[in-house]
Amino acid sequence: MDSPPTTSHLQLATCFSFYATKSLTTGEGGMLVTENAEIAERCRLMSLHGISKDAWKRYTAEGSWYYEIVAPGFKYNLTDIAASLGLAQLAKVERMWLRRQAIARRYDAAFAQLPSLECPTVRPGIQHAWHLYLLRIHPERLGIDRNTFIDELKRLGIGCSVHFIPLHLHPYYRENYAYRPEDFPIAAREYQRAISLPIYSKMSDADAQRVIEAVCSIAQQHRTH
């Protein structure tokens, strides 16, 4: 491929998720992009059971019923129906991104004046996808922790989440690898500060304003400095 923006800095391969909450969705599934023809061919093979010929071609006039499994592959192919959803969204992906960006800027303007809140940072030369708007709190400047902040938002009718819980805090990794929170102190610390606020392309100005008013109300009510 001719190095489009998503692949201009690739050395091997990059994966994109098209999960339902992502900026562009196919309901489930994803995409792998690479400039390496060998990797691309291997991924195509492994994504469909390791079958030697593309399954779709077997059912065309030019195809044959015969196939061979040449590697222990997986069932990782995106369905045609899911791909059609993605193609329809691709036609309006710029418009959807611009709407997310507008909401993010509105959040930034509202929260930047509150010392107990920290807005996302966008580095120069980087175009943020705004799949998430990750607000971080400064617990030492509030009389409440992150979990209580989320509970207060819920009480005000604002749904939010946390992205993500660090792997080393999950039971599997604790029990099998004896990880402790202090083994990855930055991840553990930032996890305790993170709140993902609602952001999506169909979000109205009124809904965004409700989120802003709720967040600011809680931050001002519980500020200690």
Side-chain angles (χ1 to χ4, degrees), residues 93-102 127-130:
V93 68
E94 183 73 10
R95 173 165 56 85
M96 294 191 296
W97 173 76
L98 287 171
R99 179 56 185 162
R100 286 174 177 265
Q101 182 189 57
Q127 179 173 304
H128 200 299
W130 296 118

Side-chain angles (χ1 to χ4, degrees), residues 179-201:
Y179 283 144
R180 300 167 300 171
E182 57 268 28
D183 289 335
F184 300 91
I186 296 176
R189 181 193 68 206
E190 294 305 309
Y191 162 63
Q192 296 294 340
R193 301 176 58 209
I195 303 174
S196 294
L197 297 181
I199 185 168
Y200 50 95
S201 59

Side-chain angles (χ1 to χ4, degrees), residues 9-170:
H9 301 294
L10 291 183
Q11 293 183 347
L12 293 176
T14 295
C15 293
F16 295 87
S17 170
F18 296 151
Y19 182 63
T21 58
K22 296 302 173 72
S23 302
L24 185 154
T25 182
T26 59
E28 186 59 278
M31 175 178 69
L32 181 144
V33 294
T34 180
E35 295 176 329
N36 186 303
E38 184 178 348
I39 291 176
E41 183 59 31
R42 179 65 175 176
C43 289
R44 290 189 186 100
L45 176 71
M46 297 302 289
S47 71
L48 197 60
H49 309 297
I51 294 177
S52 59
K53 296 183 179 180
D54 186 275
W56 183 82
K57 293 178 182 177
R58 290 191 288 133
Y59 300 103
T60 66
E62 296 79 18
S64 168
W65 60 268
Y66 184 76
Y67 66 92
E68 293 179 330
I69 294 178
V70 297
F74 306 93
K75 179 64 173 172
Y76 285 170
N77 63 299
L78 191 67
T79 68
D80 290 346
I81 294 175
S84 69
L85 294 175
L87 288 172
Q89 291 223 330
L90 189 60
K92 52 186 179 182
V93 68
E94 183 73 10
R95 173 165 56 85
M96 294 191 296
W97 173 76
L98 287 171
R99 179 56 185 162
R100 286 174 177 265
Q101 182 189 57
I103 295 168
R105 287 178 173 174
R106 187 167 183 164
Y107 283 166
D108 284 348
F111 304 145
Q113 307 305 315
L114 297 172
S116 59
L117 305 179
E118 183 177 335
C119 298
T121 299
V122 181
R123 297 194 302 271
I126 298 297
Q127 179 173 304
H128 200 299
W130 296 118
H131 155 53
L132 298 171
Y133 186 91
L134 200 154
L135 182 70
R136 287 184 285 185
I137 68 169
H138 290 283
E140 71 279 5
R141 299 175 184 174
L142 292 167
I144 57 175
D145 61 14
R146 188 274 316 280
N147 292 352
T148 304
F149 203 111
I150 290 177
D151 289 341
E152 289 288 293
L153 284 172
K154 184 177 181 180
R155 182 180 60 81
L156 295 173
I158 305 300
C160 57
S161 189
V162 175
H163 295 86
F164 293 92
I165 302 173
L167 288 179
H168 74 291
L169 300 181
H170 287 284

